[in-house]
Amino acid sequence: MRLLLDQRLLLDQRSEAEDVDYSYVPELSDELESLILARFPRSEHWKLYLLNKHFSDLLKSGELNKIRKEIGFKESSIFMSPSGQNCWWACDGLFKSCRKLPELPSLDICFINGDKESVCAGSHLIVSGRETFGSVVWRFELEIGKWFKGPSMIDPRCLFASATCGTFSFVAGGIGMDTRVSNSAEKYNPETKSWELLPRMHQKRKLCSGCFMDNKFYVIGGRDEHNNQLTCGEAYDKDNNTWE
């Protein structure tokens, strides 16, 4: 990685000093350069943005994420938001590197002070909450380091279960805009930046928990439409597109 950075800096300097001979600098192919950068920790990508325009454009294009998937490179990240604040922190899985993300741009007092729920999908951080005129979803795209509003869920909800399989995120249950307890479920695709309706759960539930394990999205516990406590759970098999 050090060789790659040194090489790129020297090549950038070459355009400013054409009379200097840099012929001794080994030149890497674009393919090899991308393979090296794809292994660079995501938590350190902000440094590449500052290095030069070439690296910045490569990150924004999403090409590095595609290469990561092809070579099976996985990296965990943790996102945290202090209570009562409108900012998020991104940390690597071992908390060796943490950085503050740009402040979420919503100025709505209901959203800032209200409860918010979050889930990750690929390189997107999805934060849902409620603004003065209804529910809202904000997303942070790690590649370009910016917040965007939307897309809204097909069935807006709160107090729902959520989980991620890494590539996609899933939400299920909760309370809809009509204040009714829901059994609907959706999947978010970061590549298309869109939600897709899934088959409905067998049981309506709110205040439930979710996790993804063994290729299934589990929704556990919560309360039903009569506010009775539930001790059951359901699992969505994404390969068969069914709940059990």
Side-chain angles (χ1 to χ4, degrees), residues 47-196:
K47 297 179 181 178
L48 299 181
Y49 282 111
L50 302 176
L51 189 61
N52 61 43
K53 188 177 185 299
H54 172 74
F55 285 170
S56 179
D57 290 343
L58 188 60
L59 287 168
K60 292 178 181 179
S61 69
E63 183 65 25
L64 293 185
N65 283 326
K66 294 179 181 178
I67 296 175
R68 282 171 172 248
K69 293 178 183 178
E70 292 173 357
I71 63 179
F73 185 82
K74 297 180 179 180
E75 180 186 4
S76 60
S77 298
I78 299 171
F79 297 91
M80 301 182 296
S81 178
S83 178
Q85 298 187 27
N86 212 26
C87 65
W88 286 78
W89 288 80
C91 307
D92 63 66
L94 298 177
F95 288 94
K96 292 183 177 180
S97 175
C98 294
R99 70 182 180 96
K100 187 178 181 181
L101 302 182
E103 187 167 312
L104 200 155
S106 176
L107 299 178
D108 191 289
I109 194 67
C110 291
F111 180 82
I112 294 173
N113 294 330
D115 293 332
K116 292 178 277 291
E117 294 163 278
S118 60
V119 65
C120 291
S123 58
H124 290 188
L125 168 64
I126 304 297
V127 180
S128 66
R130 188 175 182 85
E131 293 186 343
T132 303
F133 298 104
S135 64
V136 65
V137 170
W138 287 87
R139 76 179 189 276
F140 183 80
E141 297 187 14
L142 287 174
E143 293 98 335
I144 57 180
K146 291 183 179 180
W147 287 98
F148 298 91
K149 197 171 187 177
S152 297
M153 297 180 194
I154 300 173
D155 287 337
R157 68 195 75 207
C158 63
L159 305 179
F160 54 86
S162 65
T164 179
C165 65
T167 307
F168 305 106
S169 64
F170 301 87
V171 299
I175 298 179
M177 295 299 294
D178 56 4
T179 70
R180 296 180 181 180
V181 180
S182 173
N183 64 345
S184 72
E186 301 181 40
K187 177 177 73 173
Y188 176 74
N189 185 339
E191 293 188 359
T192 60
K193 301 174 185 177
S194 63
W195 295 90
E196 172 191 344

Side-chain angles (χ1 to χ4, degrees), residues 207-223:
L207 295 168
C208 40
S209 299
C211 68
F212 193 90
M213 182 174 62
D214 297 333
N215 217 33
K216 293 181 179 181
F217 170 41
Y218 289 86
V219 181
I220 307 163
R223 294 182 177 273

Side-chain angles (χ1 to χ4, degrees), residues 26-37:
E27 193 165 330
L28 301 178
S29 67
D30 291 341
E31 181 180 0
L32 181 56
E33 184 175 277
S34 297
L35 284 171
I36 295 173
L37 286 175

